Amino acid sequence: MTVKRQLSMVLDLNKCIGCQTCTTACKLMWTNRNGREFMYWNNVETQPGKGYPRDYQNMGGGFDEAGALRAGRQPSQEDYGIPWEYNYEEALMTGTDPWLRPNVKPTWGANWDEDQGEGDYPNSYYFYLPRLCNHCANPGCLAACSRNAIYKRQEDGIVLIDQERCRGYRYCVNACPYKKVYFNEQISKSEKCIFCYPRIEKGLPTACAQQCVGRIRWIGYRDDTEGPIHMLVEKYKVALPLHPEWGTQPNVFYVPPLSPPKYGPDGEMLDESRIPLEYLESLFGDGVAAALDTIRTERQAKADGKGSELMDTLIGYNHAEMFKLS
Amino acid sequence: MGSDDKDLKLGSVDPALEGRFEVNGIKVTTVFEQVKKEAAKYTPEKTQKQTGLHPDVVRQEARHIANARKAIIMLGYITSSYSNCLYTAWAYALTLALTGHGGRTGGLDTSWVVWNHPKWTELSTFGGKKSARYEAGGLGEVLRGGMMEGIRNHFDNKKLKERVGFDIDEMEEMIQESIDEGWMPYYGEIKGMIAVADNTFRRNKMAEKYREEHLRQASELYVNVNVRMDSTAEWADYVLPAASHYEAWDLRTQGYHRFCNVFTESVPPVGESKPDWDIMALLTKKIQERAIARGIGPIQDGDVTRDLHTIHDDYTNNGQLMTALDATRYIVENSPEFGGVTLEDAAERGFIVLNEHAGTNQPLQKDQPYNPFTAQTDGKKPYETLTGRITFYVDHPRFVKLKSTVPTARLYAGPEASNYPLHFYSPHTRWGIHSNWRSNKYMLRLQRGEPNIYINPKLAEQRGIKDGDRVRLFNGNGAFFAQAKLYPSIPADSIMMEHGWEPHQYIHRRPMNNSHVTLLQPLELVGGWGHLKFIYAKWNANQVIHESSYDIALAKPEEIADPRTI
């Protein structure tokens, strides 16, 4: 879908510490009320893992090789995790409950399999994958909406749901393979990440990017050849889309994670990465090996004092250079 | 090697590092010879069995440090949570010294503790005129909290001695000796408590015993100043509601960076809550009023007097510092390390960049790293030690007794010193500081919603435990219950649990800390030997809090049942 300009985000997974500050910034700004309590427009999941909502990677959606919508399903409330409440008053003030606890027995949540990953000590491995709406160039949600309620803004490519037109049919929820459209039962309408457009319009980055303590997020326009997105995605090709095979052409890109070497049976270091390359390729496609090589080479150059334009960008010295919003 | 420069200005003197000599008929050798001899006992091949680290990995790491242009080892609190911390830290110092890392080429860095803030200190200590009593924190907590009982319940005396070189009886004797000799101050029981900014009944080990002891000793009055109903506020006679973050003027700095964050009163305090400073101003006002009315004059306390009849005047600098805003302005506008910035400018910018006066050991230079100890390596200023140098030989009688006169190695206590087979790690929570935000629902929804432990899948399988099951963790001091979460990144003989959970979040309100045991390291309690004497935040014993161990089983339904089970 052609737009005049496209805003885009790059996230460096080597720098994400899984602190959930982005999740919380988004939650408190947009989704802690009015039927959105279960939604995480931005979530951080541990991979390998089931992700959020649970097992979303196997729920279908997106496009097949011929460009037709693939069937998808809507996650259950349990897949999202029940937003349990607490008996603060009864446990701490009136003393009528014996201890502080959730009002439902927790059996699943948005970050339930945090830090689990794969492998076993000392060769276990995992990393954090922060996810938001990809504001795709070919959005599955938009293609599936029979009400024409979903649109891409011409000026920045942000994908929005027109709340006046939406009738809550939920085709968009099923069609998004990333499961980043949510159905609000309280108002019978679908809702999703709006890329903090009221902030963007004031020249401010999204809340998730502004608050990120690891400084892992860059925001800019795809066509800005002087900007960070162009450098990371086009020039050095170190930032890759998640599941490009799903056919939606995401505008959110990830720098894949390097990992330490594996240990042998006697504790010796082996010449083999802890995170298998094939696994990373199953997420980010064929460009992973080249991207990791580039990062390794540039890191070494920086360490050797030779300087590296790429590393200077990835370090993220100041917000003004990380967020190019004009 | 890090540097070829000679650090010592010795002129033509070339001191012997090695060799054996006879001086006045006495056979002597050098410290370096002794250090070498001791270190030779611990080759990477020999330590592999204990550490699990392959010799190649150890050598690679050593060469990595040696080859680095600059290498800093930062000694944090985790190491000091083990009884062998002193040995580890001394070995760090030795590693860095042998590889030429000091000053501009690195070194052992403990500078993260604090920057130099003279005006802050002036207010908190009343200009040093009536200094508060200080104690070694761990010593006071263990003795006053009745923790020795729990130590005896948990550890096997014989096994402990084999592991760490002393048993509980010897530890107790050495603690008493340190008090009797005046090496470490200990002031005995408390009579009352006004507690601020410390969730002490959550934090301390042998929690229930500790709490009972404190409430018994302070049965007349236990006051807690708090922003929320935490596990300490719950037990106080009075809770004074405090203004929270963003509701009060405040300043925060810490040694990891060179900025002071300025907190403004963005919103007014909720309800009747007030900033800590204002609460204390009001409390001291009343205390002074009553002291004068009752004719209570100066009370001699060692070298100083406690003056309840002037306590408000003293606290507020004769009425000039009545509020948090007054105190913040005073510090900002009078502190040399803030360079004369006005409070308005500092608040507008949100932070103040500290200048050269902030350096504790040497000036903090603009646009240069704050390297540890350059005053000593470049400026040739003596270290604050007995010899004026980094010291690798201590002949304090206790160091001699525990065969620790030169850097050496000891095992930590761990499960092997008890009858409970699982190591137990209790790191900080991922997104909180201790118990701050630990019971916040938005944060809880991003974990398991209730206290959980982390267990290796192999161990879980052996014990018939599945992910999400409720389990019982137990040792010689009791048990607690938590949800099991599978975590392959921990060894199969270990359990991990984030430490900040409030006691009131556990089933039956029975927290980890009831059974979590602690120790003291007698070497950290020595005094009377040069720099080894009680100095606040420099030489004082902490609780050794990662030495506890547990066993684990699936919880039985009747153990975790309650009448209103959800």
Side-chain angles (χ1 to χ4, degrees):
Chain A
M1 166 155 261
T2 316
V3 289
K4 283 184 187 149
R5 298 195 83 191
Q6 177 67 54
L7 263 180
S8 181
M9 186 185 287
V10 169
L11 300 92
D12 184 354
L13 302 184
N14 293 287
K15 296 173 77 180
C16 180
I17 57 171
C19 67
Q20 306 282 356
T21 306
C22 51
T23 309
T24 308
C26 177
K27 169 65 57 187
L28 295 186
M29 177 155 284
W30 302 115
T31 65
N32 65 349
R33 54 199 180 271
N34 305 336
R36 298 184 206 114
E37 290 82 353
F38 75 96
M39 300 178 198
Y40 290 94
W41 291 357
N42 179 100
N43 74 290
V44 181
E45 61 202 35
T46 294
Q47 288 294 348
K50 291 198 166 72
Y52 167 82
R54 179 170 58 189
D55 210 23
Y56 75 95
Q57 291 173 101
N58 294 310
M59 284 183 182
F63 299 91
D64 64 21
E65 282 179 13
L69 279 167
R70 279 198 309 161
R73 74 171 176 87
Q74 188 184 344
S76 69
Q77 271 301 315
E78 179 68 11
D79 292 332
Y80 288 115
I82 311 289
W84 51 74
E85 294 289 341
Y86 285 85
N87 54 339
Y88 295 107
E89 184 70 19
E90 295 79 2
L92 302 181
M93 305 308 283
T94 62
T96 46
D97 272 0
W99 61 83
L100 186 72
R101 61 189 175 186
N103 63 344
V104 292
K105 187 175 187 305
T107 52
W108 190 258
N111 194 27
W112 195 259
D113 56 2
E114 180 182 49
D115 289 8
Q116 191 167 332
E118 292 283 350
D120 199 8
Y121 182 86
N123 288 319
S124 55
Y125 60 91
Y126 60 85
F127 59 90
Y128 303 110
L129 183 67
R131 296 201 308 116
L132 63 157
C133 170
N134 288 308
H135 297 276
C136 304
N138 182 32
C141 58
L142 186 153
C145 180
S146 58
R147 286 282 305 161
N148 283 334
I150 300 183
Y151 62 104
K152 269 182 88 67
R153 304 209 309 182
Q154 280 297 307
E155 64 271 36
D156 51 24
I158 293 175
V159 177
L160 295 175
I161 303 174
D162 183 339
Q163 295 290 295
E164 299 300 318
R165 291 199 61 80
C166 177
R167 289 287 182 274
Y169 296 159
R170 284 164 270 177
Y171 294 123
C172 53
V173 179
N174 296 349
C176 173
Y178 302 94
K179 290 295 168 270
K180 280 293 171 189
V181 189
Y182 306 83
F183 180 64
N184 185 334
E185 289 188 10
Q186 202 167 305
I187 57 169
S188 277
K189 289 178 193 296
S190 292
E191 297 180 318
K192 62 178 282 299
C193 162
I194 57 175
F195 213 74
C196 287
Y197 75 80
R199 291 175 58 87
I200 295 289
E201 288 171 5
K202 288 182 179 170
L204 298 169
T206 61
C208 55
Q210 171 81 49
Q211 294 289 326
C212 178
V213 294
R215 299 167 82 91
I216 78 159
R217 301 189 187 222
W218 291 259
I219 297 177
Y221 288 90
R222 297 284 305 265
D223 63 7
D224 177 4
T225 53
E226 302 297 307
I229 306 295
H230 180 83
M231 181 186 293
L232 298 170
V233 176
E234 315 292 344
K235 184 171 177 187
Y236 286 94
K237 297 184 173 26
V238 293
L240 307 163
L242 177 65
H243 288 301
E245 74 280 12
W246 288 346
T248 64
Q249 299 170 38
N251 282 302
V252 172
F253 301 87
Y254 297 94
V255 180
L258 292 165
S259 55
K262 278 175 96 162
Y263 289 104
D266 290 328
E268 72 278 21
M269 280 194 221
L270 305 177
D271 189 20
E272 189 183 340
S273 281
R274 195 87 68 82
I275 305 174
L277 179 64
E278 312 80 71
Y279 174 68
L280 292 176
E281 285 175 339
S282 77
L283 294 180
F284 305 111
D286 298 338
V288 174
L292 295 180
D293 278 347
T294 303
I295 298 164
R296 254 184 235 111
T297 307
E298 295 290 323
R299 265 192 193 180
Q300 195 56 50
K302 182 76 180 170
D304 293 343
K306 291 174 193 156
S308 160
E309 175 189 55
L310 176 64
M311 290 317 297
D312 286 346
T313 299
L314 286 174
I315 287 166
Y317 284 107
N318 63 68
H319 272 170
E321 284 167 18
M322 297 176 78
F323 310 136
K324 293 285 284 289
L325 293 166
S326 54
Chain B
M1 288 287 178
S3 172
D4 296 323
D5 294 346
K6 298 261 186 210
D7 280 344
L8 301 176
K9 272 192 175 168
L10 296 171
S12 58
V13 178
D14 186 15
L17 265 179
E18 299 168 295
R20 293 176 190 282
F21 312 91
E22 202 168 301
V23 180
N24 300 333
I26 302 166
K27 285 180 180 166
V28 297
T29 186
T30 64
V31 167
F32 188 61
E33 284 281 4
Q34 306 244 56
V35 169
K36 264 202 315 183
K37 193 176 154 199
E38 189 65 21
K41 295 178 188 169
Y42 302 98
T43 63
E45 283 71 20
K46 284 183 186 162
T47 55
Q48 184 179 11
K49 191 165 168 283
Q50 288 292 347
T51 63
L53 293 174
H54 193 276
D56 291 353
V57 177
V58 177
R59 291 204 167 86
Q60 182 180 316
E61 207 52 34
R63 289 189 186 114
H64 189 191
I65 292 173
N67 285 330
R69 274 176 301 164
K70 178 173 173 181
I72 291 178
I73 298 179
M74 189 166 272
L75 184 64
Y77 268 138
I78 294 298
T79 319
S80 65
S81 300
Y82 292 91
S83 59
N84 57 357
C85 169
L86 187 139
Y87 299 96
T88 309
W90 219 5
Y92 286 163
L94 180 62
T95 304
L96 292 162
L98 290 176
T99 53
H101 290 298
R104 279 172 289 124
T105 57
L108 189 64
D109 190 3
T110 58
S111 66
W112 52 271
V113 173
V114 72
W115 292 114
N116 186 35
H117 299 297
K119 285 290 159 185
W120 224 307
T121 310
E122 177 198 304
L123 288 193
S124 64
T125 66
F126 190 49
K129 282 177 276 187
K130 300 172 191 177
S131 280
R133 293 171 174 184
Y134 286 110
E135 272 183 357
L139 179 70
E141 285 164 350
V142 166
L143 295 184
R144 197 173 293 115
M147 293 184 199
M148 284 305 300
E149 186 185 318
I151 293 171
R152 287 198 177 275
N153 288 340
H154 180 80
F155 288 106
D156 178 310
N157 225 13
K158 199 167 154 230
K159 292 180 184 173
L160 182 68
K161 171 109 181 173
E162 278 170 25
R163 291 284 295 181
V164 301
F166 56 85
D167 65 20
I168 302 170
D169 301 314
E170 289 166 329
M171 181 178 94
E172 229 175 344
E173 277 169 30
M174 288 188 274
I175 289 172
Q176 196 55 50
E177 182 189 32
S178 292
I179 295 169
D180 293 344
E181 293 287 336
W183 294 342
M184 287 290 144
Y186 174 61
Y187 294 104
E189 296 200 348
I190 54 170
K191 287 187 176 172
M193 176 68 88
I194 302 174
V196 190
D198 179 10
N199 193 357
T200 184
F201 295 155
R202 196 285 306 162
R203 177 175 64 84
N204 272 288
K205 308 308 163 196
M206 311 311 307
E208 202 167 301
K209 176 82 179 170
Y210 178 92
R211 189 187 69 226
E212 280 171 5
E213 274 299 306
H214 277 68
L215 293 177
R216 177 187 65 74
Q217 292 171 29
S219 59
E220 274 187 58
L221 185 67
Y222 200 103
V223 179
N224 186 235
V225 179
N226 214 316
V227 297
R228 64 199 173 100
M229 191 56 90
D230 72 11
S231 305
T232 306
E234 277 189 295
W235 290 89
D237 299 320
Y238 299 94
V239 178
L240 306 181
S244 185
H245 313 291
Y246 317 114
E247 293 177 342
W249 285 87
D250 204 354
L251 301 169
R252 307 274 168 84
T253 75
Q254 66 125 302
Y256 285 125
H257 57 69
R258 54 181 72 199
F259 306 100
C260 171
N261 290 97
V262 182
F263 287 70
T264 60
E265 190 189 290
S266 304
V267 289
V270 169
E272 292 179 283
S273 62
K274 291 180 168 50
D276 295 347
W277 187 277
D278 304 38
I279 289 173
M280 290 303 163
L282 288 169
L283 272 182
T284 53
K285 185 165 182 244
K286 199 69 188 175
I287 291 168
Q288 176 168 316
E289 199 179 294
R290 294 299 304 148
I292 292 169
R294 292 171 61 188
I296 298 173
I299 301 162
Q300 199 67 37
D301 180 13
D303 297 337
V304 299
T305 54
R306 306 292 170 201
D307 301 314
L308 300 182
H309 63 297
T310 61
I311 189 169
H312 179 69
D313 301 337
D314 292 351
Y315 180 75
T316 62
N317 207 356
N318 291 315
Q320 289 180 70
L321 308 174
M322 297 296 284
T323 66
L325 175 59
D326 295 339
T328 309
R329 182 183 300 280
Y330 178 79
I331 291 173
V332 167
E333 299 188 351
N334 292 286
S335 292
E337 73 277 20
F338 294 157
V341 65
T342 66
L343 181 63
E344 284 69 23
D345 287 348
E348 175 64 27
R349 195 176 185 197
F351 62 91
I352 305 166
V353 183
L354 307 184
N355 67 19
E356 67 275 14
H357 299 291
T360 45
N361 188 57
Q362 66 260 344
L364 171 67
Q365 302 291 0
K366 193 180 177 184
D367 296 330
Q368 283 179 34
Y370 187 71
N371 297 312
F373 300 117
T374 52
Q376 283 72 20
T377 54
D378 292 359
K380 308 303 174 194
K381 175 183 162 190
Y383 290 90
E384 293 168 25
T385 62
L386 183 67
T387 58
R389 310 213 182 123
I390 300 176
T391 304
F392 294 110
Y393 181 75
V394 174
D395 62 357
H396 186 285
R398 190 172 291 172
F399 277 67
V400 175
K401 180 179 166 183
L402 294 176
K403 299 186 173 54
S404 307
T405 51
V406 291
T408 180
R410 283 288 182 283
L411 297 168
Y412 57 96
E416 291 86 349
S418 76
N419 296 314
Y420 305 93
L422 302 175
H423 296 261
F424 191 83
Y425 304 106
S426 52
H428 282 171
T429 65
R430 183 189 288 281
W431 43 56
I433 297 169
H434 308 299
S435 59
N436 255 336
W437 314 118
R438 189 67 274 192
S439 53
N440 177 286
K441 77 175 175 187
Y442 295 113
M443 306 275 66
L444 287 166
R445 286 175 186 167
L446 292 171
Q447 283 187 312
R448 294 291 176 107
E450 58 186 24
N452 70 276
I453 57 108
Y454 296 78
I455 182 171
N456 183 290
K458 285 180 187 163
L459 175 62
E461 197 185 345
Q462 279 170 24
R463 304 296 177 96
I465 294 163
K466 296 188 302 298
D467 190 281
D469 279 344
R470 289 206 172 114
V471 292
R472 177 170 173 265
L473 277 292
F474 59 98
N475 66 16
N477 281 301
F480 68 92
F481 302 96
Q483 189 185 136
K485 175 173 162 47
L486 297 187
Y487 184 51
S489 294
I490 193 169
D493 63 355
S494 305
I495 298 290
M496 184 173 89
M497 182 183 205
E498 294 177 358
H499 82 150
W501 301 96
E502 297 278 2
H504 56 236
Q505 290 180 278
Y506 287 83
I507 290 172
H508 303 312
R509 286 185 175 244
R510 202 184 290 164
M512 169 190 100
N513 276 346
N514 273 6
S515 45
H516 199 95
V517 78
T518 186
L519 274 177
L520 291 175
Q521 167 55 266
L523 290 179
E524 295 174 12
L525 291 165
V526 307
W529 193 94
H531 55 290
L532 301 186
K533 60 185 179 190
F534 175 70
I535 309 173
Y536 173 68
K538 287 190 176 175
W539 185 252
N540 54 192
N542 260 314
Q543 285 189 60
V544 173
I545 54 171
H546 282 190
E547 293 283 32
S548 205
S549 56
Y550 283 88
D551 205 345
I552 191 169
L554 198 58
K556 296 182 185 126
E558 63 269 26
E559 290 173 333
I560 54 175
D562 106 84
R564 285 148 294 181
T565 296
I566 48 173

